[in-house]
Amino acid sequence: MMQGKTIAFLVAPEGVEQVELTEPWKAVKQAGGTPRLISTAPGQIQAFNHLDKADTFAVDDTVDNVDVGSFDGLVLPGGVANPDFLRTVPQAVQFVRSFFDTGKPVASICHAPWTLVEADVVRGRTMTSWPSLQTDLRNAGATWVDQEVVVCTDGPNTLVTSRKPDDLKAFCQAATDAFG
């Protein structure tokens, strides 16, 4: 289904919710795709289980060294600190925006839509997120709904969003469908 497809996973050097990274990563691999871990710094990223440190993962490349043309889609895992950091890095925000500019699918879960708000790509989109982001998303022009997964095609690309780790099964299926 995803043979020959390469999917970027963009994360900050620390703060990503581990399960929101590892479960979509496994889903991409099981569907025949190639996941690549992209961050703002080389080396390792530190994942978290909510507020507790979890595992570390090797970075494949840095956001200032990659081009959207090398990827067929983008996953933005959550965690509170992860997207909050990414939205302060202009190269990360531009990398995210470039997936929308080129019409490539993006999948974002939990707190990750904060980076989408900063990239100014949610206007006119229907989406979900961790509930505390609903005001931010509405203020940025999105229609926020409380659903397990939302697949929005009312824009330049397919945008898949989910609320939380409990939604990962539906999120992973919708994301791999969009990427495939």
Side-chain angles (χ1 to χ4, degrees):
M1 169 164 130
M2 290 183 56
Q3 286 304 101
K5 305 263 179 141
T6 302
I7 308 301
F9 282 69
L10 178 62
V11 299
E14 69 175 19
V16 68
E17 186 70 27
Q18 182 161 315
V19 71
E20 293 174 2
L21 170 64
T22 58
E23 288 303 305
W25 187 280
K26 282 187 230 171
V28 166
K29 286 185 85 163
Q30 288 172 350
T34 303
R36 301 222 345 121
L37 189 60
I38 310 301
S39 190
T40 57
Q44 303 267 327
I45 62 110
Q46 175 66 61
F48 280 73
N49 291 325
H50 192 53
L51 299 175
D52 299 321
K53 283 187 177 181
D55 297 324
T56 58
F57 298 89
V59 172
D60 292 313
D61 217 330
T62 58
V63 72
D64 60 346
N65 197 38
V66 294
D67 181 82
V68 70
S70 302
F71 302 100
D72 299 292
L74 172 66
V75 174
L76 294 169
V80 178
N82 177 52
D84 193 47
F85 177 83
L86 289 175
R87 66 186 177 159
T88 68
V89 179
Q91 299 94 327
V93 173
Q94 180 54 47
F95 183 65
V96 170
R97 187 180 300 118
S98 66
F99 281 85
F100 290 79
D101 292 344
T102 58
K104 294 182 180 185
V106 172
S108 173
I109 188 169
C110 202
H111 288 80
W114 266 337
T115 309
L116 299 176
V117 168
E118 190 65 31
D120 193 24
V121 294
V122 302
R123 193 174 309 345
R125 305 307 291 264
T126 300
M127 54 194 304
T128 193
S129 67
W130 184 254
S132 66
L133 275 67
Q134 66 182 293
T135 300
D136 298 328
L137 289 165
R138 287 182 178 133
N139 287 343
T143 299
W144 187 88
V145 295
D146 185 12
Q147 293 176 203
E148 180 179 53
V149 66
V150 177
V151 179
C152 180
T153 57
D154 295 334
N157 65 338
T158 299
L159 176 60
V160 177
T161 53
S162 282
R163 302 169 299 189
K164 56 190 173 183
D166 290 346
D167 301 336
L168 276 165
K169 183 175 180 183
F171 176 73
C172 290
Q173 184 62 60
T176 55
D177 288 349
F179 299 144

